[in-house]
């Protein structure tokens, strides 16, 4: 088997925080009088906080100055943190713990590669702060997905070459980031949305080591 590291996006792969992001952005857009749908929200998945705000302002055709933008992003984040500060281990998505433990048992490194600056808080709230060998998140990278920076960083932290890493991602921008990093990518979600992923599962509950080996054989050979 070639894979020696699995890198997991956090939001939407390990925990279902996408709805909290949506609720917080929705609150901001309502305040600003911008129409914002769940479909628009799809474009924000995997994208950094400030890049998400830019997309929202574009939807509303608004061009505020930098300090106003910062105010909006801070407000959204405050509402978001209110939601996630109440998270519990029950919100870990099905199959996640079992699969990651199986990988660890097979000596495969496991890391987080997330755009979120709230990664440490979420991992702590759901009791996963000890599970990963490395955490690359929005606090240590500056370039938003689809830039590969966060995955390249995660691979470096666990000492594995990109060609031996597999990324699990639920966002279009995240799949592109994995491909830009030269990594195999398993999409988590709908194959209709994650068209560029090498393989798509509906959730980590569908994954196990044997399946990973089979997917890898088809993709890498
Ligand atoms: C990503 C989410 O994981 O993190 C995005 O998919 C979010 O929706 C981004 O904008 C940044 O999150 P945070 O917690 O730093 O505002
Ligand atoms: Mg995600």
């Amino acid at each position: 088997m070639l894979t020696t590291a699995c890198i997991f996006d956090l939001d939407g792969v390990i925990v279902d925080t996408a709805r909290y992001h949506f609720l917080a952005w929705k609150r901001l857009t309502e305040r600003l009088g911008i129409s914002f749908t769940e479909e628009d929200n799809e474009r924000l998945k995997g994208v950094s906080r400030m890049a998400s705000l830019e997309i929202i302002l574009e939807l509303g055709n608004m061009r505020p100055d930098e300090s106003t933008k910062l105010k909006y992003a801070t407000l959204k984040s405050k509402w978001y943190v209110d939601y996630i500060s109440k998270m519990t281990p029950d919100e870990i998505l099905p199959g996640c713990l079992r699969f990651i433990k199986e990988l660890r048992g097979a000596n495969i490194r496991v890391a987080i590669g997330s755009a979120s600056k709230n990664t440490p808080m979420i991992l702590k709230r759901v009791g996963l702060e000890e599970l990963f060998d490395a955490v690359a998140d929005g606090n240590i990278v500056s370039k938003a997905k689809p830039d590969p920076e966060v995955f390249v960083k995660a691979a470096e932290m666990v000492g594995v070459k990109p060609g031996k890493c597999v990324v699990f991602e639920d966002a279009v921008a995240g799949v592109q980031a994995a491909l830009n990093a030269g990594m195999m990518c398993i999409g988590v979600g709908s194959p209709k949305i994650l068209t560029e992923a090498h393989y798509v599962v509906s959730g980590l509950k569908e994954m196990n080591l044997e399946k990973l080996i089979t997917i890898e054989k088809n993709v890498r050979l």
Side-chain angles (χ1 to χ4, degrees):
M1 190 184 181
L2 248 180
T3 301
T4 47
C6 286
I7 306 174
F8 296 86
D9 171 51
L10 177 69
D11 294 316
V13 172
I14 306 286
V15 283
D16 182 16
T17 41
R19 63 201 172 100
Y20 298 135
H21 277 296
F22 175 69
L23 290 173
W25 284 124
K26 184 82 189 150
R27 221 164 136 180
L28 182 73
T29 52
E30 275 166 5
R31 186 173 280 198
L32 300 180
I34 299 173
S35 131
F36 178 63
T37 62
E38 297 233 18
E39 202 186 331
D40 296 324
N41 189 54
E42 213 43 57
R43 289 176 63 199
L44 309 186
K45 287 188 181 171
V47 177
S48 72
R49 195 181 305 168
M50 292 312 284
S52 298
L53 179 65
E54 292 293 346
I55 294 173
I56 282 174
L57 293 173
E58 197 188 294
L59 287 174
N61 220 354
M62 288 175 70
R63 284 177 200 78
D65 59 27
E66 290 307 313
S67 71
T68 310
K69 282 186 196 169
L70 207 60
K71 207 179 82 193
Y72 292 161
T74 306
L75 203 53
K76 180 267 171 180
S77 195
K78 184 192 159 298
W79 291 326
Y80 177 67
V81 168
D82 284 347
Y83 291 122
I84 59 171
S85 60
K86 296 182 193 87
M87 284 180 84
T88 67
D90 290 348
E91 291 178 72
I92 299 171
L93 288 166
C96 171
L97 275 176
R98 175 202 39 78
F99 180 48
I100 294 178
K101 284 180 182 162
E102 191 185 5
L103 293 171
R104 291 186 65 101
N107 242 339
I108 293 174
R109 299 293 186 135
V110 289
I112 289 282
S114 167
S116 175
K117 290 184 196 282
N118 289 303
T119 297
M121 181 188 190
I122 295 171
L123 290 178
K124 192 160 197 294
R125 284 297 316 165
V126 301
L128 290 183
E129 72 265 62
E130 301 293 329
L131 188 67
F132 297 92
D133 298 303
V135 175
D137 65 18
N139 298 297
I140 60 166
V141 298
S142 53
K143 296 180 202 137
K145 299 173 186 175
D147 190 284
E149 188 184 15
V150 72
F151 294 135
V152 170
K153 192 85 198 162
E156 275 171 19
M157 288 167 88
V158 293
V160 175
K161 292 203 172 72
K164 292 185 165 194
C165 295
V166 178
V167 169
F168 290 86
E169 249 295 346
D170 73 317
V172 173
V175 171
Q176 290 164 346
L179 301 185
N180 289 337
M183 297 177 184
M184 187 176 120
C185 184
I186 299 184
V188 179
S190 160
K192 288 197 186 112
I193 293 175
L194 305 173
T195 52
E196 292 175 68
H198 291 106
Y199 191 89
V200 179
V201 292
S202 67
L204 293 182
K205 61 182 184 300
E206 273 183 43
M207 282 306 304
N208 57 51
L209 189 57
E210 202 185 325
K211 186 162 180 174
L212 180 63
I213 293 170
T214 310
I215 297 170
E216 176 186 64
K217 266 189 199 146
N218 293 327
V219 173
R220 297 212 208 263
L221 300 179

